[in-house]
Amino acid sequence: MKQCPAFLLLFSCLIATQLLFGQTLDAGRDSLVTDELVIRPIAEGVYVHTCFLQTNDFGKVPCNGMIVVSGGEAIIFDTPTTDSSSAELIRWIEDRLHCRVTGVIATHFHDDCLGGLNEFHRRGIPSYANRLTQRFAQENHAPVPQHGFDDQLQLAVGSQPVIADFVGEGHTRDNVIGYFPAAHVLFGGCLVKELGAGEGYLGDASVGAWSSTVSRARAAYPEATQVIPGHGIPGDVSLLDYTIKLFAPYR
């Protein structure tokens, strides 16, 4: 993929979020737009944070994470790609949303999930991940999440539950998804593709399992109304159906 200049990539990301959320490009109280980080609300108590990762094969790639807030607390799925962007994200949550970040969950071991994890640790924010993610992060000399789980993790944000769930292999052997029942929002991470996307990076993938794994995610959370992919524009459950179809030939 030909690399886009940074300002063009940022502008295209802003246009996409404007069309999706029906908002202007002016960053108000519930939005943030900088050269390194974009934050937009997607549902009550749910925000998408988008940062950028320079790659050899795909150029500069926008990478999504999820923020859920309730009762003065916030939990983040996936860190920004750098410690400086993580610091900016945490400051914005504290200053604009007046919430304390009580945890961060890495959905797999790649840099677009835990590249900025050290900043969370420096601030004393606990981190969580699949035990395989911990192992793979250590093997790849990446920041290692502190607390591991095997199948499913449930934390509280304020009085509301938030779930991290390993439903099977796909983009990686360790990838998990996130779900916030209060808003019916599913964070698919890199397991889920935006509409029209290609297969993307397959270097650590279990392509034969991918379609079945997303089918299990769809069945496990039938009440989900919005889905956030790891890269690209969020949407509804049609993103799950698209991803299932995309990888079905590998079954």
Side-chain angles (χ1 to χ4, degrees):
M1 179 184 296
K2 186 177 180 180
Q3 180 178 340
C4 296
F7 78 93
L8 289 178
L9 183 64
L10 179 61
F11 183 74
S12 64
C13 182
L14 298 182
I15 291 295
T17 52
Q18 179 190 25
L19 292 173
L20 176 65
F21 302 129
Q23 299 175 349
T24 67
L25 296 181
D26 179 42
R29 179 186 180 278
D30 290 335
S31 301
L32 174 72
V33 178
T34 72
D35 290 341
E36 293 187 354
L37 185 65
V38 177
I39 303 173
R40 294 289 188 188
I42 189 173
E44 183 68 29
V46 184
Y47 299 79
V48 178
H49 68 83
T50 304
C51 59
F52 305 94
L53 179 67
Q54 184 65 48
T55 68
N56 293 327
D57 295 332
F58 302 101
K60 197 166 187 177
V61 178
C63 307
N64 297 330
M66 181 171 76
I67 309 162
V68 295
V69 299
S70 179
E73 295 181 343
I75 288 177
I76 298 170
F77 282 83
D78 288 345
T79 78
T81 54
T82 65
D83 289 333
S84 62
S85 294
S86 289
E88 186 174 22
L89 174 64
I90 296 166
R91 282 196 302 268
W92 184 85
I93 292 170
E94 292 174 344
D95 295 344
R96 293 297 185 94
L97 301 183
H98 306 293
C99 290
R100 179 174 62 92
V101 180
T102 58
V104 58
I105 301 169
T107 61
H108 64 281
F109 73 97
H110 289 164
D111 286 346
D112 51 355
C113 298
L114 45 70
L117 187 60
N118 284 332
E119 180 62 23
F120 288 84
H121 291 169
R122 189 183 71 80
R123 293 169 179 259
I125 298 170
S127 59
Y128 306 84
N130 186 339
R131 293 190 198 280
L132 275 179
T133 301
Q134 291 179 302
R135 191 185 101 193
F136 294 157
Q138 186 172 29
E139 290 174 356
N140 286 272
H141 308 290
V144 180
Q146 297 162 329
H147 307 286
F149 64 93
D150 292 316
D151 297 317
Q152 189 179 96
L153 170 73
Q154 182 167 307
L155 300 173
V157 54
S159 62
Q160 299 294 332
V162 61
I163 299 165
D165 197 359
F166 175 70
V167 291
E169 300 179 7
H171 174 69
T172 58
R173 290 169 53 199
D174 62 319
N175 51 208
V176 303
I177 59 174
Y179 188 65
F180 188 45
H184 307 293
V185 177
L186 178 73
F187 179 63
C190 294
L191 181 67
V192 176
K193 298 293 185 178
E194 71 167 332
L195 295 180
E199 295 173 348
Y201 176 69
L202 302 179
D204 297 304
S206 298
V207 290
W210 200 323
S211 182
S212 296
T213 295
V214 179
S215 293
R216 283 194 293 274
R218 200 187 197 297
Y221 300 99
E223 66 282 358
T225 57
Q226 296 191 74
V227 178
I228 304 169
H231 307 280
I233 302 173
D236 58 20
V237 294
S238 62
L239 274 69
L240 303 178
D241 296 332
Y242 175 79
T243 306
I244 292 168
K245 184 176 179 181
L246 181 66
F247 290 100
Y250 292 100
R251 283 179 174 172

